[in-house]
Amino acid sequence: MAQTEPGTDTKQHEFAIAKVYDPQIEEPRVQKTWAENRIYQFDPNHPNKPTYSIDTPPPYPSGDFHVGNALNWCYFDFVARYERMRGYNVHFPQGWDCHGLPTEVRAEQTRKIRKNDVPPAEFIQICRTLTEEYIAKMKRTIIRLGISTDWALEYRTMDPSYYRLTQLSFLRLYNSGHLYRGEHPVNWCPRCETAIAEAEVEHQERKGVLYHMSFDLENEKLGIASTRPELLPACVAILVNPKDDRYRSIIAKKAKVPIFSQIVPVIANPDVDSSFGTGAVMVCTFGDKMDVKWQKKYGLPLIRVITENGRLSIEDPRFKGARVEEARKRIAEVLSGQGRILKAEPHTQSVGVCWRCKTPVEIISRPQWFMKTMELTQVVVQSATKLKWIPEYARTRLVDWANSLDWDWVISRQRIFATPIPVWYCRKCSHTMVPKESDLPVDPRQGKAPFEKCTKCGSVEFMGETDVLDTWMDSSITAPVHAGWPDESEKFQRLFPASLQPNGLDIVRTWDYYLLVRSLALFGKPPYKTLLINGMVRGTDGRMMHKSYGNYVESGEAMTKYGADPLRQWAAAGGSTGSDIPFRWTEMDHGKKFLTKLWNIARYIITSTPQVPVERTRDQLPLLDRWLLSCLQNLIERVTEHFENRDFNLALEAVRDYAWHALADDYLETVKHRLTQDANDEDRENAQFCLHQSLLAICKLLAPICPHVADAIFQEMPKPSDEPQSVHTSTWPSPNKQWTFEGALPDGKTLIGAIALSRRKKAENGISLKTPIKTLRISGTLEQLKVLRENQEVILRTIKADTLDLSESSSLVVDISQ
Ligand SMILES: [Zn+2]
Ligand SMILES: [Zn+2]
């Protein structure tokens, strides 16, 4: 460690800045200073600071926060912190998407009940309590990760103040003709006993059996293949391809369904895949989306055989009440007994399952509320095309998804813990009545109807809607809610549309789609300007991270082992924006090593430069110093560009490389002697100036990614009076022309190369660096020799040699003699 000037306050610094960087001590300490000084608070009345608003997706309070979640939050935070330092008034809220299936399913699982086992009010209370527990747990992790959320803006979608706005958006969409109630087939989870949207249906490969069944066709037999014989009672037609020679003669004939004996027509349809099964398919109401299409197209009858809880509803006592899979087995057995199974072969197919509980979905028709999203598809696609996407390719996900949708969005759910649909029906004439905006929030499941009488028939009796809203109806209006909607005055204009919509690639088709379609319907414009999409996290084994794979890492575990800043470095460095990134403990280790290295550099600089250095002029600085400062300006320029492009991996790599190599390995090792008492004042002050400039800039450039270590150092280092106490309220640096020197980069590299080689040579010969030598011989190109000659004194002093011998050769070679 270097000697220090007498009369400085070095001692105090040595005392304040700990010898070893321990994230478990430093991170909570700086977090406390952030909270106490409320440095992340959005100022709604700031007169001239431009606003930057981030509409972060509120998570389901599940209690879990694995490293994949950490990746999401780090991305939000990198941007928030960067833009704050760029001079923006950053609006960075944190919400909780409380309602919906996940919480209900958890409540049912933890209490071992089904939703209807207890009164609704009690069930809601169980869900609320569970939600609060989970929120508290996740909030602690978010804070521990150092996310610069403005907690004054925290919200919960289950609060009446929030769901009042969900209901308001329902009323406005209803009154503007975007919503309707109707009976249409929808995806249905028989376990959760609710409708679910297309976006909530996942597809999984499932093994089944393809049964070739024999139907009677007048005087002949007709083979039909299906994996779902339990749908035979709902069979309403048989379709064949008119180009299929085998079946041309049977078109328009009638077939008799085995066991259930209904008579169904044979219809020609060119969409039938002749290569599947026997080439003849049965249409059942409803086996899949094709059935829905064909039932509608041919005006076929609708036969309901599956109940809302996934059981067969037919009268036949052999099958009545059986669960779908049991019914499949029993019907196949009866068919087999009748000699009607021609063949049964193993068959793997893609099955639609409930995203939450993985139960295969059924298609069930009952009255539901819908949003007319199909008529908005073109507007959605046009908007998505015009918006800025990072990375660009994520846009295709949304466009393809919007184009793939066949049905309007079903927004009603048959659940309990959710925003009530603000609708009553007249008991006499069934007329739909909605409350006034000033009546909200309402709960038609229990509250009294806010009407005198039916506007259609005058009846005074009403029935409240018992269905509730899809949770996406809550969470797809976060951007206008943050902006103060329904007040659309000045604040709204500033915050809406949001500057940034950051989220994972997995929710582009839900989150980004619902936000966009709702905002277009409500406000005629998109709710965000730029979308920042992060990839998915893979487990330590390279597979997608999942609890059941055993490759799942909790953020808390990672932070207990290494601290928040190493986890954040992993999030930044793991891969390019949008790409899937693997979780690696080695990366955490590398991050922690960097913190230790940086801390040691900082301690050294702060100890040897205990006060703000004296200002320098360009001409005063020797080549080495010019080189370092030029590298630094170059670094500032590149890192700024990387943050602008949201290339966090490149930004971090550049800062780490500068700190570790240019500053520590090359510069510091070479100038240590200039910081001793023996050095002359000018030499020392020049070096102090360069080191101080570097450390100050590193703190700032690193602040978005490693906010703890950056602030811990920044708070300790001597600073000019115009710098604030925390790095996070300081200004982002810009490259300074004053400290950029033409030619300093290549020349400095030559000089550093020669010094490094000379030191290595001494070490190889077992000579201590401090021991003087007689002659140092360096050969190099003419260009290199020119640089070395000009800096002869620096070389001799650094290497402690009496004379320098320079000679020409094709590359740098060093030799010494004692
Ligand atoms: Zn389900
Ligand atoms: Zn009426």
Side-chain angles (χ1 to χ4, degrees):
M1 197 57 48
Q3 297 289 306
T4 47
E5 289 173 287
T8 63
D9 57 351
T10 312
K11 264 216 143 63
Q12 183 200 324
H13 275 109
E14 268 183 330
F15 177 72
I17 187 157
K19 265 208 165 125
V20 180
Y21 183 74
D22 183 351
Q24 309 303 345
I25 294 171
E26 294 295 332
E27 289 179 354
R29 190 185 64 75
V30 292
Q31 283 169 11
K32 208 168 145 230
T33 67
W34 301 341
E36 280 166 2
N37 298 302
R38 299 181 178 193
I39 62 172
Y40 305 126
Q41 205 155 25
F42 175 72
D43 181 356
N45 305 312
H46 208 291
N48 38 29
K49 245 190 187 179
T51 302
Y52 191 88
S53 57
I54 303 176
D55 182 23
T56 53
Y60 284 118
S62 63
D64 299 328
F65 202 88
H66 62 78
V67 293
N69 299 112
L71 177 75
N72 285 150
W73 265 261
C74 284
Y75 270 44
F76 311 160
D77 198 47
F78 296 158
V79 178
R81 289 183 181 276
Y82 170 73
E83 297 298 343
R84 214 178 273 121
M85 291 175 74
R86 293 288 286 179
Y88 284 93
N89 188 9
V90 173
H91 189 268
F92 186 18
Q94 178 64 59
W96 307 99
D97 191 7
C98 308
H99 286 140
L101 268 182
T103 307
E104 290 197 33
V105 173
R106 289 256 197 151
E108 288 176 326
Q109 284 166 351
T110 50
R111 294 292 183 105
K112 299 197 168 45
I113 49 168
R114 293 298 287 270
K115 64 175 179 177
N116 296 324
D117 295 348
V118 295
E122 191 184 328
F123 190 72
I124 290 173
Q125 198 44 52
I126 295 172
C127 292
R128 289 188 72 95
T129 309
L130 202 61
T131 302
E132 286 297 348
E133 259 170 49
Y134 289 148
I135 288 177
K137 220 171 135 195
M138 292 172 82
K139 193 170 167 177
R140 278 197 297 275
T141 311
I142 292 173
I143 291 172
R144 192 175 172 199
L145 187 56
I147 305 300
S148 62
T149 305
D150 177 358
W151 291 102
L153 303 173
E154 188 182 2
Y155 63 94
R156 287 160 169 70
T157 59
M158 67 182 179
D159 289 344
S161 60
Y162 190 98
Y163 77 69
R164 181 179 77 83
L165 298 172
T166 304
Q167 291 187 329
L168 179 66
S169 72
F170 179 96
L171 285 195
R172 296 222 172 150
L173 287 178
Y174 177 75
N175 291 327
S176 59
H178 286 286
L179 305 181
Y180 65 96
R181 188 170 189 257
E183 182 165 348
H184 297 283
V186 294
N187 292 297
W188 183 275
C189 174
R191 199 224 70 91
C192 301
E193 290 180 44
T194 182
I196 56 176
E198 286 183 272
E200 293 167 321
V201 178
E202 274 177 16
H203 292 273
Q204 287 188 349
E205 292 278 299
R206 294 266 170 114
K207 284 198 175 78
V209 178
L210 187 63
Y211 297 97
H212 291 247
M213 304 172 288
S214 162
F215 281 48
D216 290 330
L217 185 89
E218 292 173 10
N219 300 322
E220 2 173 6
K221 299 275 183 210
L222 176 63
I224 298 216
S226 168
T227 55
R228 301 199 61 186
E230 78 276 16
L231 289 177
L232 280 179
C235 177
V236 289
I238 287 162
L239 262 54
V240 294
N241 195 312
K243 288 203 182 117
D244 192 334
D245 293 337
R246 294 173 293 176
Y247 299 126
R248 202 170 291 140
S249 64
I250 65 165
I251 292 169
K253 287 190 175 168
K254 304 276 185 204
K256 188 171 155 196
V257 178
I259 306 179
F260 304 96
S261 303
Q262 70 267 38
I263 305 294
V264 299
V266 179
I267 300 170
N269 185 299
D271 295 336
V272 172
D273 175 7
S274 302
S275 65
F276 179 80
T278 63
V281 297
M282 62 178 193
V283 179
C284 303
T285 54
F286 296 101
D288 58 22
K289 280 171 95 174
M290 277 316 269
D291 286 344
V292 174
K293 210 168 148 185
W294 285 335
Q295 186 262 347
K296 202 169 165 195
K297 181 176 166 124
Y298 299 114
L300 299 167
L302 199 166
I303 306 177
R304 292 187 182 83
V305 295
I306 293 174
T307 62
E308 294 179 3
N309 60 3
R311 292 170 183 274
L312 244 59
S313 63
I314 50 174
E315 286 309 316
D316 191 321
R318 290 174 292 178
F319 316 117
K320 189 178 181 179
R323 289 198 173 279
V324 166
E325 272 159 36
E326 179 59 28
R328 182 176 309 154
K329 241 169 63 191
R330 287 192 210 165
I331 289 180
E333 276 165 19
V334 175
L335 284 174
S336 180
Q338 294 179 355
R340 287 190 180 272
I341 299 281
L342 306 171
K343 191 160 79 172
E345 52 185 349
H347 183 70
T348 304
Q349 62 179 348
S350 168
V351 173
V353 299
C354 168
W355 70 289
R356 193 62 216 168
C357 71
K358 315 298 175 199
T359 303
V361 298
E362 296 294 344
I363 292 175
I364 282 187
S365 187
R366 86 189 268 294
Q368 302 277 6
W369 280 93
F370 295 88
M371 177 169 168
K372 293 182 190 168
T373 46
M374 291 304 294
E375 64 183 28
L376 291 169
T377 299
Q378 278 324 301
V379 196
V380 166
V381 169
Q382 278 164 15
S383 280
T385 310
K386 281 188 218 142
L387 288 160
K388 183 173 179 190
W389 292 76
I390 307 169
E392 276 283 332
Y393 62 76
R395 172 190 288 120
T396 320
R397 276 236 175 173
L398 194 136
V399 170
D400 288 353
W401 173 250
N403 281 325
S404 78
L405 291 170
D406 301 317
W407 296 347
D408 277 338
W409 174 16
V410 53
I411 57 169
S412 48
R413 294 290 180 275
Q414 290 65 48
R415 297 296 305 188
I416 294 168
F417 185 49
T419 297
I421 297 180
V423 163
W424 277 263
Y425 306 101
C426 170
R427 279 197 189 274
K428 204 166 153 200
C429 75
S430 302
H431 183 54
T432 303
M433 301 276 290
V434 294
K436 291 196 293 292
E437 290 186 358
S438 56
D439 295 329
L440 302 176
V442 293
D443 189 349
R445 295 173 298 181
Q446 34 194 320
K448 193 180 160 292
F451 325 104
E452 294 278 304
K453 55 186 182 191
C454 170
T455 48
K456 207 168 160 191
C457 77
S459 162
V460 294
E461 287 199 43
F462 301 96
M463 199 168 57
E465 174 63 88
T466 53
D467 285 358
V468 290
L469 287 172
D470 178 4
T471 181
W472 290 106
M473 285 290 283
D474 294 336
S475 49
S476 56
I477 52 165
T478 49
V481 169
H482 298 324
W485 182 77
D487 178 354
E488 295 189 23
S489 56
E490 198 267 338
K491 184 185 163 200
F492 185 83
Q493 301 306 324
R494 226 156 9 113
L495 289 170
F496 187 85
S499 314
L500 189 74
Q501 179 63 46
N503 56 252
L505 195 58
D506 57 333
I507 56 172
V508 168
R509 59 177 206 167
T510 46
W511 199 275
D512 297 326
Y513 172 77
Y514 288 137
L515 259 72
L516 189 53
V517 77
R518 287 257 275 152
S519 184
L520 289 169
L522 274 168
F523 305 102
K525 59 178 167 187
Y528 38 65
K529 293 175 189 159
T530 298
L531 294 106
L532 174 65
I533 308 298
N534 64 270
M536 298 293 99
V537 171
R538 292 180 178 276
T540 41
D541 57 357
R543 292 194 289 172
M544 280 302 169
M545 192 169 274
H546 202 275
K547 270 186 174 165
S548 64
Y549 295 165
N551 63 0
Y552 183 94
V553 181
E554 273 285 341
S555 300
E557 183 195 349
M559 288 193 280
T560 300
K561 283 186 181 154
Y562 287 95
D565 281 356
L567 184 57
R568 298 174 61 111
Q569 287 179 72
W570 159 77
S576 59
T577 301
S579 63
D580 285 352
I581 74 170
F583 181 78
R584 290 199 190 99
W585 288 107
T586 48
E587 188 69 46
M588 297 286 291
D589 206 43
H590 184 62
K592 177 102 182 273
K593 282 199 178 109
F594 172 68
L595 297 184
T596 303
K597 179 76 183 179
L598 180 65
W599 192 253
N600 290 339
I601 297 169
R603 279 190 86 229
Y604 184 83
I605 294 176
I606 294 171
T607 321
S608 56
T609 312
Q611 284 165 344
V612 178
V614 189
E615 191 62 30
R616 303 277 96 189
T617 63
R618 277 173 69 89
D619 302 341
Q620 277 176 304
L621 300 175
L623 175 59
L624 262 185
D625 299 5
R626 293 176 178 204
W627 170 80
L628 185 76
L629 291 182
S630 297
C631 283
L632 183 63
Q633 308 319 309
N634 182 288
L635 175 77
I636 294 170
E637 194 177 332
R638 279 184 298 137
V639 173
T640 306
E641 199 183 308
H642 295 325
F643 269 107
E644 286 295 324
N645 297 334
R646 315 299 185 212
D647 286 329
F648 311 119
N649 57 332
L650 303 180
L652 176 62
E653 206 175 295
V655 182
R656 287 204 293 211
D657 187 57
Y658 176 85
W660 209 307
H661 302 298
L663 179 61
D665 291 350
D666 297 337
Y667 185 79
L668 251 179
E669 289 302 326
T670 314
V671 302
K672 271 184 175 165
H673 66 89
R674 286 167 53 188
L675 295 156
T676 62
Q677 267 178 324
D678 311 337
N680 72 54
D681 287 351
E682 167 129 346
D683 251 4
R684 186 174 50 246
E685 283 167 7
N686 282 341
Q688 286 177 330
F689 177 76
C690 294
L691 290 173
H692 185 266
Q693 289 273 312
S694 290
L695 189 60
L696 195 64
I698 287 173
C699 286
K700 294 184 175 206
L701 298 175
L702 207 53
I705 295 174
C706 299
H708 303 93
V709 77
D711 214 17
I713 296 172
F714 187 85
Q715 287 179 20
E716 286 306 325
M717 70 182 293
K719 289 177 289 289
S721 55
D722 57 349
E723 290 288 355
Q725 195 46 41
S726 169
V727 72
H728 302 295
T729 48
S730 74
T731 308
W732 189 258
S734 18
N736 190 337
K737 277 224 169 72
Q738 192 188 348
W739 305 123
T740 308
F741 299 86
E742 207 176 319
L745 289 179
D747 289 357
K749 212 174 161 194
T750 300
L751 179 56
I752 280 164
I755 290 174
L757 281 175
S758 308
R759 292 161 63 107
R760 199 177 307 152
K761 204 77 198 172
K762 275 180 98 173
E764 280 168 14
N765 286 282
I767 306 167
S768 122
L769 294 176
K770 285 178 185 154
T771 310
I773 51 165
K774 232 192 211 150
T775 312
L776 177 63
R777 277 186 296 277
I778 310 180
S779 53
T781 63
L782 283 176
E783 236 170 294
Q784 288 170 330
L785 294 181
K786 183 171 172 284
V787 174
L788 299 178
R789 198 167 297 119
E790 282 167 7
N791 292 279
Q792 186 163 337
E793 224 185 300
V794 174
I795 299 171
L796 289 175
R797 204 154 11 108
T798 312
I799 303 302
K800 296 202 187 300
D802 293 341
T803 51
L804 177 64
D805 250 15
L806 295 174
S807 58
E808 202 190 330
S809 76
S810 58
S811 63
L812 272 183
V813 180
V814 172
D815 201 6
I816 54 171
S817 57
Q818 267 181 300

